[in-house]
Amino acid sequence: MRRIVFVLVAVGVLAGVVAYVAPASGQADGEAAPIFGVKTPAGYRDWRLISVAHEEGSLNDLRAILGNDVAIKASREGKLPYPDGTIIARLAWSYDPLEESSKAFGRLQSFVAGPPKNGVQFMIKDSRKYASTGGWGFAHDDGKPASEAMHNTCFPCHATVTARDFVFNRYAP
């Protein structure tokens, strides 16, 4: 929910009112660099789990899909479209065979998360700000702010899942 904070500014006999609109719920104030208009949400690694995934092909990674409180509530209720203020984070790691499992079973049996891959990706729901991309802003945090071009490369893939409001993952209870 957006908050409006009113600050009185007094200089000599002049006084004025300045309105400030705080960031949408789940976005951080402070030092984080904006990523195409989005700041990396503070504490996102403590968000609750929506689902896990294994991406094959050239990416070949394990993923944890996390959500802020708005995303978790909508996911649990199966609410589509997701409400504004939803933020989804995707963390990924390499998909590595577990050596001990291979010894125990005589073949590749178990896989675990290895080193992190491809930074952290975010989807931010703001139906007005991101109207041209289905109401979603896409951001990638690999330590550098993402450009509008990066934002626009995400949407064509997500456009294949319009029936799920452009979100690939499904809630795993």
Side-chain angles (χ1 to χ4, degrees), residues 10-11 22 27 58 76 80 86 90 126 149 151 162 169 173:
V11 178
Q27 290 186 6
S58 61
R76 286 181 177 171
L80 294 176
T86 296
R90 191 277 303 149
D126 185 325
H151 171 85
T162 57
N169 65 70

Side-chain angles (χ1 to χ4, degrees), residues 67-106:
N68 68 353
D69 289 341
V70 178
I72 293 297
K73 184 176 188 311
S75 295
R76 286 181 177 171
E77 294 173 358
K79 182 177 181 171
L80 294 176
Y82 286 87
D84 282 357
T86 296
I87 305 176
I88 298 170
R90 191 277 303 149
L91 289 76
W93 301 268
S94 65
Y95 180 72
D96 295 349
L98 182 63
E99 187 177 321
E100 296 85 356
S101 175
S102 296
K103 289 178 184 174
F105 293 100

Side-chain angles (χ1 to χ4, degrees), residues 2 5-6 9 19 27 29 34 60 70 74 80 96 106 120 148 152:
R2 293 186 181 253
V5 179
F6 292 96
V9 180
Q27 290 186 6
D29 292 326
N60 196 29
V70 178
L80 294 176
D96 295 349
V120 179
E148 184 174 358
N152 291 333

Side-chain angles (χ1 to χ4, degrees), residues 1-170:
M1 177 187 294
R2 293 186 181 253
R3 300 170 296 169
I4 298 179
V5 179
F6 292 96
V7 179
L8 275 187
V9 180
V11 178
V13 292
L14 298 174
V17 177
V18 177
Y20 170 73
V21 179
S25 175
Q27 290 186 6
D29 292 326
E31 301 297 319
I35 302 171
F36 191 62
V38 176
K39 290 184 179 183
T40 300
Y44 69 87
R45 287 187 179 267
D46 293 327
W47 290 353
R48 287 177 278 168
L49 183 69
I50 294 174
S51 69
V52 295
H54 170 223
E55 181 74 29
E56 289 193 358
S58 61
L59 296 175
N60 196 29
D61 61 32
L62 291 174
R63 298 171 174 212
I65 311 302
L66 309 177
N68 68 353
D69 289 341
V70 178
I72 293 297
K73 184 176 188 311
S75 295
R76 286 181 177 171
E77 294 173 358
K79 182 177 181 171
L80 294 176
Y82 286 87
D84 282 357
T86 296
I87 305 176
I88 298 170
R90 191 277 303 149
L91 289 76
W93 301 268
S94 65
Y95 180 72
D96 295 349
L98 182 63
E99 187 177 321
E100 296 85 356
S101 175
S102 296
K103 289 178 184 174
F105 293 100
R107 60 180 158 65
L108 292 179
Q109 172 83 18
S110 300
F111 294 81
V112 295
K117 289 180 76 172
N118 303 321
V120 179
Q121 295 175 350
F122 295 97
M123 290 179 67
I124 299 88
K125 184 68 178 261
D126 185 325
S127 56
R128 286 180 287 187
K129 185 174 184 178
Y130 302 114
S132 67
T133 51
W136 288 98
F138 300 90
H140 186 244
D141 182 7
D142 59 359
K144 300 176 218 145
S147 65
E148 184 174 358
M150 160 101 41
H151 171 85
N152 291 333
T153 62
C154 296
F155 183 67
C157 290
H158 285 266
T160 64
V161 287
T162 57
R164 287 197 308 275
D165 194 23
F166 306 97
V167 175
F168 284 107
N169 65 70
R170 297 182 178 133

